[in-house]
Amino acid sequence: MNTINMEERKTMNRREALKRMGALVTGAAFTATGLSSFTVSKSDKSDEGKKRLVFYFTATGNSLYVARELAGEKGEQLSIPQVLKGDNLTFEADEIGLVFPDYAASAPLIVRDFISKAKLKASYIFSVITFGNFAANVAEWWNDYCKKQGVTLNYANTLLMVDNYLPVFDMNDQVKIDKHIPENLATIKSDLNEHRQFISHLERMNDQMQGWLDRLQAEHFPMEAERLLKLDAAKCIGCETCAAVCPHGNFKLIDNTITFSGSCEYCLACVHICPQKALTLARGERNSNARYRNEHVSVRDIKKSNNQQ
Ligand SMILES: Cc1cc2nc3c(=O)[nH]c(=O)nc-3n(C[C@H](O)[C@H](O)[C@H](O)COP(=O)(O)O)c2cc1C
């Protein structure tokens, strides 16, 4: 792949960059440089097939894995925390996707922020929300949320994967459960290839369940890092992995000690990815010795997706 060094980035205008790199590759490069307005369409490349951009947010890799799978070889997956660093958030492609984890039957705040700021131009816009146990009405909730932001979804579905919610689930147990991911993902892929019009709907939703979810959302979001986390200083080796995987840049190494503060996504990337298991949840966990990362996704991938440094 073509690369651009820092000096060239400063002097090159958008047109020159497009010429140099080709439209598809430009997606990734502009995101990395913070220039996030670009177009990817069939006419930009001579090869056949529609061009698909898939925006994602991930903490433990499930949503990145799905975004990658849905982007396929001809598409492009773009990290929402990286894209948000740019100031022009206009994107155009034949198909645009949004993939992220379900947080208490709603979307992570960073994803809501993105959809409220972005201008998405595509004839088919889809969302796949990864979840671990009970998706409730998240697809409809997201569909309504997007509508209020002026974005019409053609497709919103959920995909059952490992549940990374540490207060309730033991990761050692979670990884043993067959959640039929390949089959369900294949169905979603085929839905998208056929441009299926579909918003997943929960029949059993009732007022009591809605009340429970509302309370959960109010309790969870927004969260502060100081309230959520506990550091075992004896275990911490100062590797700063937590700092690199935090989508809010909440961690700093000061005098050889990791400190954290600020508005937090409650994504748990820092806790799951810490190689020392030095970070735990202040209010306790089901099993503080068990951590999770999607088997297809590396620590480096998660750092690249979320790093704010
Ligand atoms: C704060 C938080 C809340 C969550 N809420 C739900 C939920 O309401 N229902 C559910 O099935 N999974 C829930 N999960 C699990 C994640 O949605 C699921 O594990 C997801 O696939 C993680 O994606 P990622 O690996 O891309 O971060 C929650 C996870 C976190 C961290």
Side-chain angles (χ1 to χ4, degrees):
M1 196 207 286
N2 245 323
T3 53
I4 303 174
N5 68 35
M6 285 307 287
E7 274 314 301
E8 286 172 303
R9 273 180 199 168
K10 283 181 202 152
T11 52
M12 202 185 329
N13 64 31
R14 182 175 184 276
R15 205 163 163 200
E16 286 165 336
L18 273 172
K19 229 164 94 185
R20 178 159 162 180
M21 303 175 71
L24 190 65
V25 179
T26 310
F30 274 108
T31 304
T33 57
L35 299 170
S36 47
S37 170
F38 65 95
T39 299
V40 181
S41 74
K42 204 164 152 183
S43 56
D44 287 323
K45 291 213 76 173
S46 54
D47 58 344
E48 288 301 311
K50 294 201 174 277
K51 294 296 172 264
R52 188 181 277 176
L53 278 186
V54 184
F55 295 92
Y56 71 92
F57 172 62
T58 196
T60 53
N62 288 348
S63 308
L64 170 53
Y65 168 66
V66 173
R68 242 186 225 160
E69 286 288 308
L70 298 182
E73 279 180 12
K74 289 181 180 168
E76 185 89 32
Q77 70 274 356
L78 301 172
S79 151
I80 288 174
Q82 300 308 332
V83 161
L84 276 171
K85 289 177 185 169
D87 30 54
N88 186 351
L89 298 176
T90 301
F91 299 92
E92 187 167 0
D94 295 308
E95 301 166 1
I96 288 182
L98 303 148
V99 181
F100 56 85
D102 175 349
Y103 288 171
S106 65
L109 297 180
I110 203 161
V111 177
R112 301 186 209 183
D113 188 31
F114 173 70
I115 205 72
S116 71
K117 291 177 178 161
K119 290 240 171 323
L120 305 180
K121 297 177 189 170
S123 57
Y124 188 74
I125 303 185
F126 63 90
S127 227
V128 176
I129 303 161
T130 69
F131 75 106
N133 184 56
F134 178 53
N137 60 344
V138 67
E140 282 171 289
W141 179 91
W142 177 238
N143 185 43
D144 291 344
Y145 193 90
C146 286
K147 240 183 232 164
K148 286 181 195 142
Q149 310 303 320
V151 177
T152 303
L153 295 181
N154 300 93
Y155 182 92
N157 208 347
T158 55
L159 180 64
L160 181 64
M161 301 184 82
V162 161
D163 201 313
N164 67 0
Y165 189 60
L166 292 169
V168 176
F169 297 101
D170 181 335
M171 296 304 110
N172 290 342
D173 295 338
Q174 277 293 303
V175 292
K176 288 183 198 144
I177 304 170
D178 182 1
K179 301 205 180 187
H180 304 282
I181 297 166
E183 303 93 294
N184 294 333
L185 188 53
T187 303
I188 289 174
K189 280 183 184 174
S190 121
D191 283 351
L192 299 182
N193 289 339
E194 288 164 15
H195 277 193
R196 184 176 175 208
Q197 304 288 323
F198 173 72
I199 306 297
S200 172
H201 168 74
L202 181 79
E203 298 294 343
R204 289 175 295 122
M205 198 66 185
N206 58 37
D207 288 350
Q208 194 189 2
M209 207 182 275
Q210 189 60 61
W212 176 73
L213 287 167
D214 289 346
R215 276 197 304 284
L216 211 62
Q217 285 177 24
E219 188 194 321
H220 277 52
F221 311 112
M223 176 58 80
E224 294 101 44
E226 304 91 303
R227 192 154 64 93
L228 182 70
L229 303 169
K230 204 167 76 178
L231 177 77
D232 184 340
K235 285 187 182 167
C236 178
I237 53 168
C239 67
E240 296 180 87
T241 300
C242 49
V245 299
C246 176
H248 286 270
N250 283 339
F251 293 82
K252 287 193 174 47
L253 186 67
I254 301 172
D255 296 334
N256 270 337
T257 305
I258 283 289
T259 61
F260 45 86
S261 63
S263 178
C264 159
E265 202 62 51
Y266 202 158
C267 74
L268 302 182
C270 55
V271 180
H272 279 285
I273 309 301
C274 171
Q276 294 294 107
K277 299 193 181 113
L279 282 164
T280 51
L281 296 182
R283 285 199 204 163
E285 299 171 28
R286 177 58 69 93
N287 180 354
S288 55
N289 259 321
R291 296 293 181 250
Y292 171 70
R293 173 169 47 82
N294 185 288
E295 61 185 328
H296 305 285
V297 170
S298 67
V299 172
R300 190 166 167 271
D301 291 333
I302 296 173
K303 287 181 180 175
K304 254 171 78 182
S305 299
N306 291 353
N307 197 350
Q308 298 298 307
Q309 292 167 326

